[in-house]
Amino acid sequence: MSVSKEATAINVAKKTSNDFNIAAFAYSALKKIATVGCIYFFGYMNWSVGWFVAPIIFLIMREQWKETADNKRNIAKTIASSNEKDVVLARLDELPSWVFFPDVERVEWLNRIIQQVWPNVNNYTRELIRDTIQPIIKDSLEVYKMKGFKFERIILGSIPVRIGGVKVYDKNTDRNEIIMDLDIVYAGDCDITFYVAGIKGGIKDLQLKGMMRVVMKPLISSIPLVGGVQVFFLNNPEIDFNLVGVADLLDMPGLGDLFRKIITEIIASMLVLPNKYTMKLSEEVDTIEMKAPEPEGVLRVHVVEAKHLMKKDLGVLGGGKSDPYAVVTVGAQEYKTGVVKNSLDPKWDYWCEFIITEVYGQQLFVHLWDSDDALDDESLGRATVDISNIVKQEQADMWLTLENAKHGMVHMRFTWLSLSNNVNDLKAALIEAQLLGSEKVSTALLCVFVDSARNLPLARQSSQPDPYAVLRLGDSTKQTQIIMRNPDPVWEEGFIFRVQNPNIDILHLRIVDKKTGHDIGSFEFGVKSLLNKEKMELNREPFRLQRSGTDSRILWSLKLKILKLAGLTHEPMQNDEPPVIADESTPLLAERTTGSPGRQSPAKAHTLPKQPSTESRLEYKIDDSSVCLESTVPINDTSCDRIIHRNPSQTSSSGEAGLGRLQLTLQYSTQRQKLVVVVHKIAHIPLRDPSNIPDPYVKLYLLPGRSKESKRKTATIKDNCNPVFEESFEYLISQNELINKKLEITVCTQKALFYSSSNILGQVVIDLCKLDIDKSYSSWFDLQPEYSHSD
């Protein structure tokens, strides 16, 4: 019996094997015929082989990318569905060192509570997505010409959110609050379908991972004992999902990233600092305290430069450069520098500011990219800075080594600015902003709480308005939610604006009807008016709306906070004073002790001594008040010890070598780490042939290493022996580099002179280590003959 069964099994196997071989043969033959037919067709049509190869390569790349992404999602999904205790223990190495575990059993107990309430969370989230997120996605996709977005089905599935770690703060917190950080992991079995542009698509295997903070405050003496809850992510969470259906065609690098970017931006606008999701639990608590808390300060960031970056654009002979730019992120706030073409050592000199509402636990990320117009931008590395460490130091200047890169560093400077209620601190803030000379720098914060409006006019006679408020200050625009069919909307939303100059900045308010897009009310508020108020604030003040009904009012609260440097009073700073042109009667003074004795070049390098010679009072006009700066500026003329002329802008001498004199102003800004050189004029260029008048211009180089990047050049002045340029040039250079540099200034003529084989009329070399960085200098310098030197 057993032999018979075995024989039967063998016969069945042989038959199956024969059937399989026949099917495989037929499939292989058809595939070869199709391939040969395609090649024949391409040849018959005289098409390039690229039309045949490119789609194959593209499909292979897409298949590999999807396989990698699916593997990651499956791993995360397996972990999410496993035992809670295993999940917590597996995450120990990944979590930050500060995450606290009371014990694994308690975290497991917390996850079981979440699992119990997950069906209710599912229902609440479904309504939140339909009412709040769907309109935002719809508006975002319409920008890319994809209209008609609408969710059809939203099911989060049975796998709940998991908590991998918990930290409860017991230090650096108010007694009136409880702060917890939760390491959130979600890799559920969601089933979400949607329509966009008439095409049905879906989302599955949604994954989210990030650090969520829960703040319970204020604590009250009556039930429920907590006045409200704030929930937010400290930094942007990691988000990934799988597109299915027809939308699967978009799920590839580039196109699929667009949809992910939109989802990430929506979550950031709702739940990533400085944005918070708030729930008021008691009527005893003021709504402003919950929904418009005062920030802790402002972090001013200076992205100076980078060096030794990776080569991404490879050249034919093995060389190559990159086109780097930097993206700086704190929570949902993001700034991007300009692109520096063909450089591995870019200098950006970029300023930005971040409003910080939570110091502890939040991080700053700087990510360097190589710009590529044809392909996706490639990463050059990233670095992370803990904001709490910057706040403790108050100011920091550091080179950060790039992670996820073979090599490279980025130079960053940080300044922590606290908030002040003292109007006298505004003068110092305005002067500091003026000295930095950047439009990105602000002097104050304006906190606005839009409470409500009443008696709004009807946009159309047939229906009530659907109003929302739009606020604009400078380049920043904020918008409230839309309140449907209500002439008396209650928004209760808070916003924060950076203010460049409270004396002139104006806050613009518009109330818009969603259905018609027409304004149904407006108001302009001068920030200056807050300077005369107690504590520079207004609390729930009603203002009559313009271009609206006679009884239309806006009810809002405003608060102005001055940005203040640590330890800085309202007296102006002594550093980076503006340049003063004094007379040239000052005798030769001793060199600074920081310079090396006898370090003059063959061209008689000029020194810039520190001792004072004249005094001048300078004034910055700030609104109706003026701030006086006492400036004592030394004047240097190393070519003579005698009085030549009393007029600071004129000279009667042609210099020691008889080649003329050059008037310059030099100033180094420690705030901006910039050397500013102003080429004013040249006087008394010798005229040896009246029929051949020179066409002078000025070239500047930093030595040693006369590089192309350090070259600066003025315009050419035609037929002039006393040209006036008045051109300013800047060098981004740190104080440590400054002491090792010289500034070479060469006066040339565009017109060749018959009595000289060179077009150089004279040179000046200034040893920058002799420059007193606390002062500014304007002086005449003797032009010397051209000299030979090594860099």
Side-chain angles (χ1 to χ4, degrees):
M1 181 70 68
S2 61
V3 175
S4 176
K5 286 182 178 181
E6 182 177 350
T8 303
I10 292 173
N11 292 331
V12 171
K14 288 182 178 179
K15 184 178 180 180
T16 304
S17 176
N18 292 333
D19 293 342
F20 174 78
N21 290 336
I22 294 172
F25 176 80
Y27 175 76
S28 177
L30 289 174
K31 187 165 65 173
K32 288 180 172 57
I33 292 172
T35 302
V36 173
C38 289
I39 296 174
Y40 174 80
F41 179 74
F42 273 73
Y44 180 79
M45 298 297 294
N46 291 323
W47 285 353
S48 170
V49 70
W51 288 94
F52 181 71
V53 175
I56 295 178
I57 296 176
F58 180 78
L59 291 173
I60 293 174
M61 291 175 60
R62 179 178 181 272
E63 184 178 347
Q64 292 180 345
W65 179 83
K66 283 187 63 66
E67 183 178 354
T68 303
D70 290 341
N71 288 336
K72 290 182 179 179
R73 296 189 188 103
N74 291 334
I75 292 172
K77 193 173 180 180
T78 302
I79 294 174
S81 60
S82 59
N83 181 270
E84 289 88 350
K85 187 172 182 178
D86 296 337
V87 172
V88 174
L89 294 176
R91 295 270 297 153
L92 281 176
D93 295 335
E94 300 179 22
L95 296 174
S97 59
W98 49 263
V99 172
F100 168 71
F101 294 87
D103 54 54
V104 175
E105 285 72 19
R106 292 186 185 180
V107 177
E108 182 181 355
W109 172 76
L110 189 58
N111 281 322
R112 288 179 180 175
I113 293 178
I114 295 176
Q115 186 172 10
Q116 187 72 21
V117 301
W118 185 245
N120 303 80
V121 174
N122 210 329
N123 294 330
Y124 174 78
T125 305
R126 184 186 301 115
E127 306 219 348
L128 177 66
I129 292 175
R130 288 190 187 278
D131 298 339
T132 304
I133 297 180
Q134 178 174 291
I136 301 175
I137 297 178
K138 181 180 178 181
D139 294 341
S140 299
L141 288 175
E142 286 180 353
V143 176
Y144 300 95
K145 309 300 181 183
M146 292 187 286
K147 298 182 179 181
F149 179 86
K150 183 179 180 180
F151 283 108
E152 181 191 41
R153 181 173 65 249
I154 303 173
I155 301 174
L156 295 186
S158 59
I159 301 177
V161 170
R162 294 295 180 91
I163 297 177
V166 179
K167 177 180 180 179
V168 180
Y169 284 85
D170 57 352
K171 297 179 181 179
N172 302 311
T173 60
D174 195 295
R175 292 186 303 172
N176 203 29
E177 64 183 5
I178 299 173
I179 300 178
M180 293 190 304
D181 284 349
L182 309 176
D183 181 59
I184 298 294
V185 180
Y186 174 70
D189 53 345
C190 72
D191 184 9
I192 301 174
T193 58
F194 58 84
Y195 283 94
V196 57
I199 299 175
K200 183 178 180 179
I203 295 176
K204 287 191 175 181
D205 301 326
L206 176 65
Q207 297 178 25
L208 184 146
K209 182 170 68 174
M211 194 62 63
M212 175 177 285
R213 176 164 293 181
V214 179
V215 180
M216 293 176 280
K217 71 173 186 180
L219 304 182
I220 57 179
S221 56
S222 59
I223 298 298
L225 303 180
V226 176
V229 178
Q230 297 177 349
V231 179
F232 51 88
F233 285 100
L234 293 168
N235 303 291
N236 282 313
E238 299 178 21
I239 300 173
D240 193 17
F241 50 82
N242 185 24
L243 292 174
V244 296
V246 179
D248 185 41
L249 298 175
L250 300 177
D251 201 6
M252 62 186 67
L255 296 176
D257 292 341
L258 171 63
F259 204 75
R260 289 177 177 81
K261 179 183 177 182
I262 293 174
I263 298 297
T264 302
E265 290 176 350
I266 292 173
I267 293 178
S269 66
M270 298 176 61
L271 283 174
V272 181
L273 282 178
N275 307 303
K276 302 179 181 180
Y277 180 74
T278 60
M279 293 176 286
K280 184 178 173 181
L281 303 180
S282 174
E283 294 299 326
E284 297 180 20
V285 180
D286 191 352
T287 307
I288 297 181
E289 184 180 357
M290 285 297 304
K291 296 190 175 183
E294 184 178 310
E296 297 197 29
V298 169
L299 181 64
R300 182 174 292 165
V301 179
H302 185 194
V303 186
V304 185
E305 58 187 325
K307 64 181 181 182
H308 197 39
L309 299 180
M310 294 188 298
K311 301 177 182 179
K312 292 295 184 178
D313 303 330
L314 298 180
V316 179
L317 301 178
K321 294 288 183 71
S322 291
D323 302 325
Y325 67 91
V327 177
V328 189
T329 307
V330 175
Q333 303 172 80
E334 181 178 286
Y335 292 95
K336 176 182 174 181
T337 70
V339 177
V340 179
K341 293 290 186 180
N342 299 321
S343 177
L344 300 178
D345 302 295
K347 295 181 182 293
W348 291 292
D349 188 28
Y350 180 82
W351 293 85
C352 55
E353 292 178 336
F354 296 94
I355 299 171
I356 306 300
T357 55
E358 299 284 336
V359 168
Y360 293 95
Q362 197 167 22
Q363 294 176 317
L364 178 143
F365 300 93
V366 53
H367 201 155
L368 270 59
W369 297 89
D370 171 44
S371 178
D372 196 327
D373 296 333
L375 304 172
D376 291 337
D377 294 351
E378 297 183 80
S379 175
L380 297 173
R382 60 181 295 177
T384 307
V385 178
D386 196 329
I387 292 179
S388 61
N389 292 334
I390 302 298
V391 175
K392 293 175 183 177
Q393 300 177 46
E394 297 177 346
Q395 289 189 337
D397 187 334
M398 59 184 70
W399 280 92
L400 303 172
T401 301
L402 296 176
E403 304 171 0
N404 302 326
K406 295 180 180 179
H407 47 75
M409 301 180 73
V410 59
H411 185 192
M412 307 278 289
R413 302 175 72 234
F414 305 96
T415 303
W416 174 250
L417 302 168
S418 58
L419 305 182
S420 170
N421 291 323
N422 189 352
V423 69
N424 293 325
D425 290 325
L426 178 60
K427 294 179 181 180
L430 288 169
I431 293 176
E432 175 72 11
Q434 187 179 41
L435 291 174
L436 291 177
S438 173
E439 296 180 355
K440 302 290 185 179
V441 172
S442 55
T443 62
L445 292 183
L446 180 63
C447 304
V448 183
F449 179 74
V450 183
D451 186 286
S452 59
R454 60 173 181 260
N455 299 323
L456 295 178
L458 301 180
R460 294 186 297 177
Q461 294 182 356
S462 59
S463 63
Q464 299 285 356
D466 298 337
Y468 64 94
V470 179
L471 297 95
R472 178 176 60 85
L473 195 153
D475 296 331
S476 180
T477 302
K478 311 287 185 180
Q479 179 179 315
T480 66
Q481 292 184 348
I482 301 171
I483 306 298
M484 303 300 293
R485 301 176 183 83
N486 197 331
D488 302 305
V490 177
W491 291 292
E492 293 185 336
E493 294 186 44
F495 306 99
I496 303 175
F497 293 91
R498 295 189 298 113
V499 181
Q500 287 189 343
N501 189 342
N503 290 310
I504 59 176
D505 284 352
I506 296 176
L507 175 65
H508 300 269
L509 168 74
R510 296 167 48 231
I511 297 180
V512 184
D513 175 59
K514 174 64 176 177
K515 282 195 290 284
T516 63
H518 296 157
D519 291 358
I520 55 177
S522 63
F523 188 78
E524 292 185 355
F525 180 83
V527 181
K528 180 181 177 180
S529 60
L530 289 174
L531 298 176
N532 301 321
K533 303 294 182 180
E534 183 179 359
K535 295 184 179 180
M536 297 185 292
E537 62 181 52
L538 292 172
N539 187 24
R540 283 192 170 87
E541 292 285 342
F543 289 87
R544 180 178 175 180
L545 291 172
Q546 302 169 354
R547 294 185 296 175
S548 188
T550 56
D551 296 328
S552 299
R553 297 289 187 273
I554 180 71
L555 185 66
W556 60 2
S557 300
L558 302 105
K559 186 185 301 182
L560 186 66
K561 296 291 182 180
I562 308 300
L563 302 185
K564 182 179 178 181
L565 288 168
L568 181 66
T569 64
H570 62 272
E571 295 296 329
M573 298 180 65
Q574 297 299 319
N575 206 14
D576 288 325
E577 297 173 359
V580 176
I581 301 179
D583 63 46
E584 56 177 339
S585 61
T586 308
L588 179 63
L589 300 173
E591 295 183 2
R592 292 185 60 193
T593 55
T594 55
S596 302
R599 190 184 166 185
Q600 290 190 340
S601 69
K604 193 176 181 180
H606 293 276
T607 61
L608 296 174
K610 186 176 181 180
Q611 297 183 9
S613 62
T614 61
E615 293 187 358
S616 174
R617 288 181 63 84
L618 306 171
E619 290 190 353
Y620 287 107
K621 194 67 177 177
I622 301 176
D623 192 40
D624 298 328
S625 60
S626 61
V627 180
C628 296
L629 297 178
E630 293 292 335
S631 176
T632 304
V633 184
I635 300 303
N636 165 54
D637 187 345
T638 59
S639 63
C640 60
D641 297 346
R642 61 190 182 279
I643 298 176
I644 299 176
H645 201 282
R646 298 300 301 177
N647 192 327
S649 62
Q650 298 294 331
T651 180
S652 58
S653 171
S654 59
E656 191 177 66
L659 298 178
R661 311 189 79 205
L662 172 67
Q663 189 186 37
L664 299 173
T665 292
L666 295 98
Q667 179 185 11
Y668 183 77
S669 170
T670 54
Q671 281 96 341
R672 302 184 67 192
Q673 295 220 337
K674 271 190 177 181
L675 173 67
V676 181
V677 182
V678 182
V679 180
H680 295 289
K681 61 181 69 176
I682 304 173
H684 306 305
I685 297 176
L687 181 61
R688 301 182 184 180
D689 181 7
S691 63
N692 195 13
I693 304 174
D695 298 339
Y697 65 91
V698 179
K699 288 192 305 183
L700 298 90
Y701 280 101
L702 280 180
L703 306 178
R706 189 187 287 101
S707 65
K708 186 178 180 180
E709 292 181 354
S710 73
K711 181 182 179 180
R712 306 289 188 270
K713 182 182 176 181
T714 68
T716 301
I717 307 297
K718 295 288 186 179
D719 299 326
N720 203 317
C721 291
N722 295 279
V724 178
F725 299 98
E726 297 298 344
E727 293 191 39
S728 178
F729 304 98
E730 295 183 346
Y731 290 98
L732 187 62
I733 183 171
S734 66
Q735 296 184 40
N736 294 331
E737 294 176 304
L738 187 71
I739 61 176
N740 298 318
K741 294 290 186 180
K742 294 179 182 180
L743 180 65
E744 178 192 82
I745 305 132
T746 306
V747 179
C748 305
T749 175
Q750 197 174 56
K751 186 185 299 178
L753 302 177
F754 74 91
Y755 55 81
S756 175
S757 60
S758 172
N759 70 333
I760 295 178
L761 300 177
Q763 285 184 331
V764 172
V765 176
I766 299 174
D767 198 341
L768 296 180
C769 76
K770 312 291 175 57
L771 174 64
D772 182 3
I773 64 173
D774 294 331
K775 304 297 179 184
S776 302
Y777 299 88
S778 185
S779 185
W780 289 96
F781 296 86
D782 287 355
L783 293 177
Q784 303 292 332
E786 180 185 6
Y787 65 96
S788 59
H789 56 83
S790 61
D791 291 345

